[in-house]
């Protein structure tokens, strides 16, 4: 399969001059949340790290470090989204002791679990509301982990060479809500 004609022209340009992405984005793999399309970004604009549940794990931190150090990208955004399947699976796992179907899925769920456990225990709240709160808690946790799990990232933040933000894409409205730090 060949890339589209327009993409091919841009790819050739970037192959020649290299990349200089405007932002690094850690976001969920959900097919409804393709960050470039959502924000009308083009080839070369965003350094995107996609993983179910926008979790933080060593190789994902390494990807952020690589982009920040190599391209000097000064903006890092964690984007979660409403109706997140990974967050929903984690809440289901907590409430019904449902065992994830593989060790690797369990790894994702176990990384989300500590950040949403207290929400899962809230009484008199619909499951949908819990998912909504848990999505936000999970984004905040990823922002906090990225801010504190890497000496390189910490140092870039202190030097004001990197700013980290979190936000949530609402799949029903298309609106993106930036979370206050
Ligand atoms: Zn998701």
């Amino acid at each position: 399969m060949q890339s589209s004609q327009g993409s091919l022209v841009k790819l050739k340009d970037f192959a020649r001059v290299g990349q200089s992405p405007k932002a690094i984005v850690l976001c969920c793999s959900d097919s409804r949340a393709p960050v470039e399309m959502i924000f009308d970004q083009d080839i070369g604009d965003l350094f995107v790290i996609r993983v179910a549940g926008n979790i933080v794990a060593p190789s994902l931190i390494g990807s952020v470090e690589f982009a920040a150090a190599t391209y000097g990208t000064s903006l890092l955004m964690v984007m979660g989204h409403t109706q997140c399947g990974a967050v929903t699976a984690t809440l289901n796992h907590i409430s019904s002791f449902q065992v994830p179907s593989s060790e690797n899925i369990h790894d994702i769920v176990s990384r989300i679990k500590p950040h949403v456990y207290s929400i899962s225990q809230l009484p008199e709240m619909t499951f949908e509301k819990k998912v909504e709160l848990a999505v936000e808690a999970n984004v905040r946790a990823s922002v906090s982990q990225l801010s504190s799990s890497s000496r390189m990232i910490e140092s870039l933040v202190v030097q004001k060479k990197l700013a980290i933000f979190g936000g949530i894409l609402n799949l029903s409205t298309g609106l993106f809500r930036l979370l206050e730090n």
Side-chain angles (χ1 to χ4, degrees):
M1 194 158 77
Q2 173 69 279
S3 51
S4 72
Q5 202 54 40
S7 296
L8 185 58
V9 172
K10 286 171 193 153
L11 283 175
K12 281 182 174 169
D13 278 349
F14 279 112
R16 195 165 40 81
V17 301
Q19 61 175 317
S20 178
K22 295 186 280 194
I24 304 163
V25 185
L26 172 70
C27 59
C28 185
S29 304
D30 193 301
S31 65
R32 298 165 296 178
V35 64
E36 294 96 330
M37 294 169 88
I38 302 278
F39 293 113
D40 280 333
Q41 298 299 296
D42 208 338
I43 292 170
D45 284 338
L46 300 178
F47 190 97
V48 181
I49 304 154
R50 291 186 75 172
V51 57
N54 41 267
I55 56 161
V56 172
S59 55
L60 307 166
I61 299 173
S63 301
V64 171
E65 289 175 340
F66 172 78
T70 311
Y71 310 117
T73 310
S74 60
L75 182 65
L76 167 59
M77 184 173 82
V78 176
M79 186 178 90
H81 65 96
T82 56
Q83 302 175 19
C84 183
V87 170
T88 304
T90 306
L91 289 177
N92 279 329
H93 166 69
I94 296 169
S95 63
S96 65
F97 305 103
Q98 241 175 52
V99 181
S101 50
S102 85
E103 258 178 52
N104 302 306
I105 296 175
H106 187 259
D107 179 76
I108 294 174
V109 165
S110 64
R111 287 179 194 277
I112 298 174
K113 189 173 170 180
H115 315 306
V116 304
Y117 188 83
S118 59
I119 292 166
S120 76
Q121 302 303 301
L122 291 171
E124 294 171 29
M125 184 178 280
T126 63
F127 187 71
E128 285 70 26
K129 185 68 187 170
K130 285 183 182 179
V131 171
E132 188 189 318
L133 293 180
V135 161
E136 178 168 335
N138 187 48
V139 169
R140 288 187 184 280
S142 290
V143 169
S144 156
Q145 282 177 296
L146 284 170
S147 311
S148 61
S149 309
S150 148
R151 267 190 226 146
M152 183 196 284
I153 295 173
E154 238 176 286
S155 145
L156 289 169
V157 171
V158 169
Q159 296 171 65
K160 301 206 182 305
K161 289 183 177 167
L162 183 69
I164 312 180
F165 298 95
I168 293 163
L169 172 70
N170 186 317
L171 295 183
S172 306
T173 62
L175 289 176
F176 176 77
R177 179 166 64 94
L178 197 64
L179 299 178
E180 305 279 333
N181 280 332

